[in-house]
Amino acid sequence: IQRKNRSSGLEPGTVVVTKQSVDATFLPKFEQVILGKTVVRSTDLDQSLAQELLQCSKGLNQFETVIGNTMCTLDFYEGQARLDGAFCSYTEAEKQEYLLKAKEAGVCNIEMESSVFAAMCKLSGLQAAVVCVTLLDRLKGDQLSSSHEVLNNYQLRPQILVGSYIKKQLKAKAGNR
């Protein structure tokens, strides 16, 4: 479970349940070098769990929740098409073009951890989900403008959703005894 990210085209505070973690070329894969050889692993997540989380969010009726792809990058600045880092080798127009391509590829948010998490859970046979919250719309800028209080509220949303899902599962298991 993850809880921070930047979005492409969603309102800040929207919770994103990840369908697939995609790389910076929008492919659902995690590449790992093992013994000098590149190993490619799938980053598909459990779709039934994603749907259950979406339904749980609808039951809460507290915040917008969507299912979409999460783009996992290797760094926070250029890898995420930011203009505010120490280095920037592209223009605002190139950034916008890239982020629009990401949106067309189903990317709803950007972060740096989901691909390895998804790949390792899939490899281990574990049912898994990635749940994030959007902090800003990257099509509109790179900097946070929300207050500390609002950001704190946003960061609690994935925890509220996952906590509610866990409680629901525990009640179901207790009812089956």
Side-chain angles (χ1 to χ4, degrees), residues 65 85 135 176:
T65 302
L135 300 179
N176 290 335

Side-chain angles (χ1 to χ4, degrees), residues 11-26:
E11 286 297 313
T14 302
V15 172
V16 178
V17 179
T18 303
K19 178 180 180 181
Q20 292 178 312
S21 176
V22 298
D23 66 13
T25 64
F26 319 128

Side-chain angles (χ1 to χ4, degrees), residues 24-147:
T25 64
F26 319 128
L27 296 175
K29 65 179 181 171
F30 170 68
E31 291 187 7
Q32 181 179 16
V33 178
I34 301 173
L35 302 175
K37 296 177 185 165
T38 302
V39 176
V40 179
R41 294 199 162 103
S42 170
T43 56
D44 290 338
L45 290 155
D46 188 294
Q47 295 308 297
S48 63
L49 178 55
Q51 287 296 326
E52 288 179 51
L53 285 161
L54 182 63
Q55 290 306 312
C56 191
S57 178
K58 287 179 181 178
L60 287 171
N61 197 30
Q62 293 180 22
F63 39 79
E64 181 72 23
T65 302
V66 299
I67 293 177
N69 292 338
T70 294
M71 182 167 67
C72 186
T73 66
L74 299 177
D75 70 276
F76 185 73
Y77 293 100
E78 286 191 306
Q80 294 187 15
R82 298 177 69 92
L83 299 170
D84 58 349
F87 305 101
C88 184
S89 59
Y90 44 84
T91 66
E92 170 73 25
E94 290 169 319
K95 166 198 163 175
Q96 289 296 324
E97 180 182 347
Y98 178 73
L99 291 177
L100 287 172
K101 285 180 184 175
K103 186 177 179 181
E104 289 169 10
V107 171
C108 291
N109 60 299
I110 308 169
E111 50 77 279
M112 297 171 50
E113 302 88 11
S114 63
S115 65
V116 68
F117 176 79
M120 294 301 113
C121 287
K122 186 165 182 73
L123 183 64
S124 302
L126 297 173
Q127 186 182 29
V130 173
V131 182
C132 299
V133 66
T134 59
L135 300 179
L136 69 141
D137 182 347
R138 289 294 315 291
L139 292 170
K140 296 178 182 173
D142 296 336
Q143 295 293 314
L144 294 172
S145 59
S146 300
S147 71

